[in-house]
């Protein structure tokens, strides 16, 4: 560990946030946009916790209706179209086919659920539910013949979850927030109504102290560990860690819709078209008591997911078909439900004011509701913040970086990139349009040829993009770039990924600058 160094103790932030997942970044963005001074520390990379391991649905959660979670479903349904409109480059509408199966949920129950789904959450842009004749419609073709004849098709949205987090952090920084990644909060202390957070740089071991009037614990699965690092803070609520795993296989079918398959154990499994050439299958639900950073898809889970979709698909899926797996841990509020699948997905706040200094801890939540969660967090903290009420609700109308375009304009943006940069292949331009939206031009600058984009790392990743991700989006390693800023890891070989790390090391050795140089305003 490096020398212990106290940073300037003069500055007192209005708000310090521990955790750079979707919830921490969402609160940082909203608070900064309302005029508060904001500090956020993330111990690893942004979205390296649960927020990049989700099923990536911006959805109401049809199955939560069975648990009478009407408040959550309504809020989430309303958020679908709000989020789509502020980030149409990284969020897209997706139709889900629900094949009906005698012996599972009865048709009347599905019809009722889908009716509520269509009507309780302000659906204006997304198309409504329809019934499908699976014997005639193309969505019936990949299914086992003659077994599934009727189904329903309904709307939700799909999001690049890790990019949602990074763009939210980028917007927060553009509005003045200080975002420090690779910075672990190792101790929290309060005195004289002020929080002092000791932050350790995980690359150098250097420590510094940050002061704030209000502290938010958005540590996700680590929420209780963050509380344990503080004296005099008593956690009343408990977190329930529930593992969910996914598998990725080569594209299973040609059409662009997803499936929602009901299992005989009462659970549901999604099969979703993913990254053009793949299908994403998930998820599982099982209690987890290990280190959240070490969670991995188990052999049984992989088999369970393969078996679940093979109950429906004409061409069965087996573990040998799996090209990638990932797993995450849901940091759910422990409501005492007996089964993991039944534990509430709603969020709960716990507000403590030891010695008068407020600390808000977050339990549960969903990617879908992160913007509303941030608004509610700031409402709870309003008595302690100078500018909590100012610009209330602004995040619903203000696009995320690159998202300042109409929901229907993404294909046109892609075509415009090909016209402006004719050396890009349509697939390359499309990837950049979906990742960076209107900021893709900023990344490409005045390039006139592929050579102008510098070293090519494979799968359309170039030095220009790597530099952009490092200087604007806090990327520090190849893993950040190929598994969170993009999913190019699905297309790059281990040697190609290692070459990116080599380039990063050489680049930094040559520049003499520290790895963490993003920040500032763009
Ligand atoms: C399998 C699965 C599927 C899901 N599917 C969906 C879905 O389809 N749609 C949906 O809406 N939601 C979904 N969710 C839920 C959603 O992913 C989570 O609710 C959400 O990502 C939680 O975000 P968070 O910011 O609270 O936690 P995290 O993303 O885990 O963020 C917490 C961050 O805090 C950091 N941290 C912890 N301790 C410290 C410290 N001491 N110092 C500094 N940093 C620290 C961690 O490194 C981490 O990055 C799913 C979840 C799982 C697991």
């Amino acid at each position: 560990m490096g020398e212990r160094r106290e940073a300037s103790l003069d500055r007192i932030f209005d708000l310090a946030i521990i955790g750079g997942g979707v919830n921490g970044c969402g609160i940082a963005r909203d608070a900064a946009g309302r005029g508060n001074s904001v500090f956020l520390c993330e111990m690893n990379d942004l979205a390296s916790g649960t927020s990049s391991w989700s099923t990536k649905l911006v959805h109401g959660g049809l199955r939560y209706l069975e648990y009478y979670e009407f408040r959550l479903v309504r809020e989430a349904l309303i958020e679908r179209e709000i989020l789509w409109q502020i980030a149409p480059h990284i969020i897209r509408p997706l139709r889900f086919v629900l094949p009906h199966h005698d012996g599972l949920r009865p048709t009347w129950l599905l019809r009722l659920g889908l009716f509520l789904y269509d009507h309780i959450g302000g659906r204006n842009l997304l198309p409504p539910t329809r019934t499908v004749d699976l014997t005639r419609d193309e969505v019936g073709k990949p299914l086992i013949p003659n077994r599934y004849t009727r189904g329903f098709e309904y709307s939700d949205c799909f999001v690049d979850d890790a990019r949602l987090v990074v763009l939210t952090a980028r917007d927060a920084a553009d509005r003045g927030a200080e975002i420090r990644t690779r910075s672990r909060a190792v101790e929290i202390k309060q005195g004289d109504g002020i929080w002092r957070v000791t932050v350790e740089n995980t690359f150098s071991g250097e420590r510094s102290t940050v002061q704030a009037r209000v502290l938010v614990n958005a540590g996700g699965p680590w929420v209780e560990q963050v509380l344990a690092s503080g004296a005099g803070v008593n956690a009343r609520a408990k977190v329930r860690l529930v593992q969910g795993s996914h598998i990725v296989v080569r594209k299973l079918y040609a059409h662009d819709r997803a499936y929602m398959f009901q299992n005989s154990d009462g659970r549901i499994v999604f099969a979703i078209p993913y990254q053009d050439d793949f299908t994403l299958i998930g998820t599982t639900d099982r209690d987890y008591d290990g280190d959240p950073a070490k969670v991995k898809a188990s052999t049984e889970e992989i088999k369970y997911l393969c078996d679940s979709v093979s109950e429906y698909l004409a061409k069965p899926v087996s573990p040998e078909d799996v090209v990638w797996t990932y797993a995450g841990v849901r940091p759910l509020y422990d409501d005492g439900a007996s089964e993991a699948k039944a534990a509430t997905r709603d969020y709960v706040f716990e507000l403590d004011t030891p010695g008068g200094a407020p600390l808000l801890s977050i339990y549960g939540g969903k990617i879908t509701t992160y913007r509303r969660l941030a608004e509610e967090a700031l409402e709870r903290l309003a008595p302690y913040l100078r500018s909590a009420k100012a610009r209330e609700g602004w995040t619903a109308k203000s696009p995320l970086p690159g998202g300042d375009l109409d929901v229907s304009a993404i294909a046109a943006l892609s075509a415009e990139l090909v016209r402006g940069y004719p050396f890009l292949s349509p697939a390359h331009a499309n990837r950049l349009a979906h990742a960076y939206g209107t900021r893709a031009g900023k990344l490409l600058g005045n390039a006139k040829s592929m050579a102008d984009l510098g070293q090519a790392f494979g799968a359309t990743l170039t030095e220009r993009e790597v530099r952009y991700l490092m200087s604007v989006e806090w990327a520090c390693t190849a893993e950040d770039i190929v598994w969170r800023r993009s999913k190019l890891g699905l297309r790059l070989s281990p040697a190609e990924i290692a070459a990116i790390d080599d380039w990063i090391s050489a680049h930094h050795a040559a520049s003499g600058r520290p790895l963490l140089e993003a920040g500032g305003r763009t």
Side-chain angles (χ1 to χ4, degrees):
M1 188 190 297
E3 184 192 343
R4 190 180 166 96
R5 189 171 59 88
E6 295 293 309
S8 159
L9 282 178
D10 308 342
R11 183 165 192 198
I12 301 179
F13 287 92
D14 292 326
L15 182 64
I17 300 163
I18 299 173
V22 77
N23 289 328
C25 293
I27 294 170
R29 175 184 190 232
D30 196 345
R34 294 187 199 205
N36 296 286
S37 59
V38 176
F39 170 87
L40 180 146
C41 64
E42 162 53 51
M43 64 180 173
N44 190 359
D45 182 24
L46 295 168
S48 57
T50 311
S51 298
S52 57
W53 306 124
S54 80
T55 311
K56 306 173 201 312
L57 303 181
V58 174
H59 66 156
L62 188 55
R63 75 175 191 86
Y64 308 143
L65 289 173
E66 285 184 328
Y67 298 100
Y68 308 109
E69 298 242 30
F70 295 113
R71 193 212 73 81
L72 170 66
V73 176
R74 181 175 146 72
E75 181 173 293
L77 286 170
I78 294 170
E79 283 304 293
R80 284 185 312 192
E81 293 194 6
I82 293 178
L83 296 184
W84 181 26
Q85 287 176 92
I86 63 167
H89 49 331
I90 57 163
I91 298 180
R92 65 182 162 93
L94 184 58
R95 297 286 285 171
F96 286 77
V97 178
L98 173 50
H100 182 252
H101 187 312
D102 281 337
L104 297 178
R105 289 163 183 87
T107 318
W108 68 264
L109 186 64
L110 293 175
R111 275 189 204 283
L112 176 65
L114 288 163
F115 177 82
L116 289 173
Y117 212 69
D118 267 353
H119 291 95
I120 64 173
R123 183 185 50 77
N124 295 314
L125 303 171
L126 295 166
T129 298
R130 68 175 184 114
T131 46
V132 217
D133 178 351
L134 295 174
T135 60
R136 287 162 186 264
D137 197 288
E138 64 165 343
V139 296
K141 292 217 174 82
L143 303 178
I144 296 172
N146 307 322
R147 191 183 290 182
Y148 305 100
T149 53
R150 276 179 310 161
F152 301 95
E153 192 186 271
Y154 70 94
S155 290
D156 263 327
C157 289
F158 192 74
V159 60
D160 184 331
D161 52 4
R163 289 204 59 73
L164 179 70
V165 177
V166 168
L167 295 180
T168 301
R170 184 62 264 164
D171 199 54
D174 286 347
R175 294 170 194 277
E178 182 174 338
I179 308 285
R180 243 192 254 171
T181 63
R182 267 66 192 206
S183 298
R184 181 196 303 268
V186 288
E187 190 182 41
I188 56 173
K189 264 202 254 177
Q190 61 79 33
D192 306 327
I194 300 289
W195 283 102
R196 289 185 182 80
V197 183
T198 306
V199 178
E200 183 175 292
N201 180 310
T202 57
F203 286 149
S204 65
E206 254 183 43
R207 288 185 170 192
S208 56
T209 303
V210 171
Q211 302 189 104
R213 289 184 187 83
V214 175
L215 183 61
V216 168
N217 172 5
W222 294 268
V223 62
E224 286 177 0
Q225 286 175 33
V226 170
L227 291 174
S229 69
V233 184
N234 300 311
R236 288 183 302 273
K238 284 264 161 281
V239 70
R240 179 171 185 172
L241 299 182
V242 174
Q243 173 174 356
S245 297
H246 292 82
I247 57 174
V248 174
V249 297
R250 299 234 156 251
K251 192 171 178 162
L252 292 176
Y253 51 85
H255 67 76
D256 62 358
R257 268 133 304 163
Y259 290 100
M260 182 195 196
F261 295 136
Q262 310 178 72
N263 280 357
S264 48
D265 61 3
R267 296 197 62 264
I268 45 146
V269 168
F270 295 104
I272 303 168
Y274 190 52
Q275 298 288 322
D276 299 329
D277 301 319
F278 301 91
T279 302
L280 171 65
I281 299 169
T283 175
T284 54
D285 269 297
R286 61 178 201 177
D287 283 309
Y288 183 78
D289 58 9
D291 176 353
K294 300 215 167 101
V295 61
K296 251 181 106 213
S298 69
T299 313
E300 301 87 74
E301 285 178 302
I302 295 171
K303 183 163 182 324
Y304 170 85
L305 292 172
C306 290
D307 291 349
S308 299
V309 294
S310 301
E311 276 288 306
Y312 285 85
L313 295 174
K315 188 163 172 289
V317 176
S318 76
E320 292 77 60
D321 299 323
V322 174
V323 296
W324 187 49
T325 68
Y326 65 82
V329 177
R330 301 171 181 88
L332 303 182
Y333 171 71
D334 192 353
D335 60 356
S338 54
E339 287 182 283
K341 71 175 182 189
T344 182
R345 265 52 175 170
D346 212 345
Y347 51 82
V348 171
F349 297 130
E350 191 173 280
L351 182 62
D352 275 298
T353 48
L359 163 60
L360 187 80
S361 297
I362 295 162
Y363 296 80
K366 301 186 55 63
I367 298 277
T368 310
T369 49
Y370 90 102
R371 196 200 62 82
R372 270 300 296 148
L373 179 150
E375 285 187 335
E376 282 198 24
L378 292 179
E379 269 161 43
R380 289 293 295 276
L381 293 171
Y384 312 99
L385 288 171
R386 282 182 303 168
S387 330
K389 285 280 166 201
R391 300 197 67 217
E392 220 168 335
W394 72 273
T395 54
K397 293 174 207 98
S398 190
L400 286 174
D404 48 340
L405 72 170
D406 190 79
V407 290
S408 58
I410 190 77
L413 177 68
S414 201
E416 201 181 299
L417 283 179
V418 174
R419 273 197 303 279
Y421 301 91
F423 56 89
L424 295 178
S425 68
H428 191 174
N430 198 41
R431 181 177 74 73
L432 296 180
H434 279 276
Y436 305 103
T438 55
R439 291 200 174 184
K442 188 176 161 127
L443 184 155
L444 293 163
N446 55 7
K448 298 274 177 293
S449 66
M450 279 306 285
D452 287 346
L453 299 180
Q455 186 171 334
F457 294 103
T460 71
L461 181 69
T462 63
E463 185 180 327
R464 175 77 65 99
E465 189 172 355
V466 170
R467 282 179 190 275
Y468 178 89
L469 291 173
M470 294 178 73
S471 62
V472 178
E473 295 194 3
W474 297 273
C476 294
T477 66
E479 186 187 319
D480 300 349
I481 292 167
V482 307
W483 291 118
R484 281 182 289 275
R485 303 306 178 278
S486 73
K487 286 291 180 288
L488 292 173
L490 286 168
R491 298 169 194 278
L492 292 166
S493 68
E496 286 172 318
I497 295 173
I500 302 169
D501 269 330
D502 291 346
W503 183 90
I504 292 173
S505 307
H507 168 71
H508 279 284
S511 74
R513 289 213 297 273
L515 259 178
L516 289 166
E517 59 183 23
R521 291 171 201 241
T522 56

